[in-house]
Amino acid sequence: MSQTHKETLLKLQEPASEDVGSAADYIALMKPRVMSLVVFTALIGLVMAPGAIHPVMAVAAIALIAVGAGASAALNMWYDADIDAVMSRTQDRPVPSGRVAPDAALTFGLWVSGLSVLAMAVMINYLSAALLAFTIFFYAVIYTMFLKRRTAQNIVIGGAAGALPPVIGWAAAANSVSIESLIYFAIIFFWTPPHFWALALIKNDDYQAANVPMLPVTAGVKSTLSQIVLYAFVLFGVTLLPYALGFSGLFYASGAALLGCVFVALCVSLALASDKNRNRVAGMTFAYSIFYLFLLFVLLPTDRVMGL
Amino acid sequence: MSDETKQEEETVWTEELLRERRKRAAIMAIALLAFIALFFWVTLIKLGANIANRPL
């Protein structure tokens, strides 16, 4: 073996100087908390779809949706590292904190995205693979690269990416897109703006410092509050569509109406809150919105089991 | 950039960092093995269904 070849081999065995990310950092790169909501809503879409899917294939489909969502989150963190570094909520993320190199995050995101879509096509069906690919593209490119830094409607339009998992879950089981799965999409789509704007009100200074045109930054607090109330009312109506169109029974309708009334009441009280209390009520609205969406998607299969 | 500055910026591979790196490699290996097992299992299910439903 020549001296040069030996040196090359030794050099290859050395860890790349910037690649110090631990397994936990790479898991954090996939936004596991967001992933849990994606897994949950995709699972409900899959369970509610007509036809039977083998349990192993159901597990594979949900795992691939989770991995695809995680990969798009990694791409988002790669692109947004500059603004994440400015905001208190995000400055400890793996890329801005320097634990994962930007190139490593990009490579990881691209490989995992590609593999999840390819595996979905081979293992499940082409429709769910195409929907997964579109979701990753929409979140990583349309939302992250185009909408987020350009328009106050960023999370309204971008919310479509977060709303697609139940449609993918449905497509994995039924190999189709139906009115029912589109209603699940609409529920998450109209839930996203009041959920995010409640958080944006609390983190307004952060978004201002990072120059991200969230609605409270561009249109002011008052206009954001009226938009939150407006979306809460629209969401209330949309959540009753499964009952109105005959897909769900009275159990779902009464649960959704009750939960929706509480959400509307919280949004109205947020709009009426004094400057001193606003952040506290916004925090409550944000926390309740997660609970609200979770329970709505629990009600759907429960209603079917109860058959009311 | 001078060589000295370059040297300062290079990561010092402490025992802890190397341990983390080994852990990361082990987790990646487990994830890959799980993926292969899942792929194999799904293949068996699809193959079984195709044999059961073939035209006679």
Side-chain angles (χ1 to χ4, degrees):
Chain A
M1 196 184 287
S2 72
Q3 191 63 27
T4 332
H5 187 59
K6 256 187 195 171
E7 278 169 11
T8 313
L9 278 179
L10 282 172
K11 189 86 191 149
L12 280 172
Q13 282 167 16
E14 279 176 17
S17 61
E18 74 278 17
D19 188 17
V20 294
S22 68
D25 291 327
Y26 277 86
I27 291 168
L29 208 56
M30 298 174 91
K31 298 190 183 175
R33 270 192 293 182
V34 176
M35 207 198 263
S36 62
L37 199 63
V38 166
V39 165
F40 175 68
T41 54
L43 180 67
I44 300 299
L46 189 137
V47 167
M48 295 298 287
I53 179 170
H54 193 286
V56 175
M57 289 177 70
V59 169
I62 297 297
L64 291 171
I65 294 170
V67 168
S72 65
L75 292 172
N76 167 276
M77 283 208 205
W78 160 72
Y79 193 81
D80 274 351
D82 57 336
I83 52 178
D84 282 351
V86 181
M87 303 204 293
S88 63
R89 185 172 69 90
T90 52
Q91 58 193 199
D92 195 40
R93 283 179 172 173
V95 182
S97 64
R99 298 193 304 276
V100 171
D103 286 358
L106 173 65
T107 311
F108 177 76
L110 287 176
W111 269 103
V112 178
S113 296
L115 275 177
S116 63
V117 171
L118 197 67
M120 195 76 154
V122 177
M123 285 198 224
I124 313 297
N125 57 47
Y126 292 138
L127 178 64
S128 54
L131 285 168
L132 183 63
F134 177 72
T135 306
I136 296 170
F137 172 78
F138 199 88
Y139 184 70
V141 180
I142 306 290
Y143 168 69
T144 305
M145 296 179 190
F146 289 101
L147 298 171
K148 189 170 177 180
R149 298 169 194 237
R150 283 184 174 83
T151 165
Q153 295 299 310
N154 48 15
I155 53 114
V156 178
I157 309 165
L164 275 166
V167 184
I168 309 173
W170 182 288
N175 200 11
S176 66
V177 174
S178 73
I179 297 283
E180 278 171 276
S181 64
L182 290 176
I183 290 174
Y184 303 155
F185 169 89
I187 290 174
I188 307 176
F189 185 78
F190 286 105
W191 166 87
T192 307
H195 164 78
F196 259 108
W197 286 332
L199 177 72
L201 282 171
I202 304 168
K203 298 287 177 188
N204 198 12
D205 294 343
D206 265 7
Y207 284 116
Q208 231 156 5
N211 213 14
V212 179
M214 292 298 276
L215 198 62
V217 176
T218 58
V221 173
K222 208 176 157 191
S223 169
T224 307
L225 291 170
S226 11
Q227 291 285 315
I228 286 177
V229 173
L230 179 71
Y231 271 92
F233 275 106
V234 174
L235 176 63
F236 184 86
V238 171
T239 60
L240 295 177
L241 280 178
Y243 176 72
L245 295 174
F247 304 139
S248 291
L250 212 55
F251 178 77
Y252 168 80
S254 37
L258 189 70
L259 290 164
C261 280
V262 176
F263 189 60
V264 168
L266 264 173
C267 291
V268 171
S269 61
L270 173 62
L272 299 174
S274 62
D275 290 352
K276 200 179 137 199
N277 281 333
R278 191 174 296 124
N279 274 8
R280 189 179 57 82
V281 186
M284 281 164 61
T285 310
F286 177 75
Y288 179 79
S289 68
I290 298 169
F291 175 72
Y292 177 34
L293 188 73
F294 173 77
L295 277 191
L296 277 174
F297 275 83
V298 166
L299 280 172
L300 287 162
T302 314
D303 176 87
R304 180 170 287 181
V305 172
M306 293 181 75
L308 285 174
Chain B
M1 192 189 286
S2 72
D3 283 350
E4 257 176 79
T5 328
K6 247 186 198 172
Q7 198 69 33
E8 274 171 23
E9 281 183 2
E10 269 179 20
T11 308
V12 180
W13 283 90
T14 60
E15 196 49 49
E16 194 194 348
L17 277 180
L18 286 169
R19 204 170 39 242
E20 279 295 334
R21 193 185 165 86
R22 278 193 292 272
K23 197 168 128 190
R24 191 179 95 186
I27 290 174
M28 199 179 280
I30 292 167
L32 271 173
L33 282 174
F35 181 69
I36 291 166
L38 192 65
F39 212 102
F40 182 66
W41 204 349
V42 169
T43 306
L44 286 185
I45 292 162
K46 285 196 160 190
L47 202 65
N50 284 337
I51 289 169
N53 299 325
R54 73 191 189 281
L56 294 171

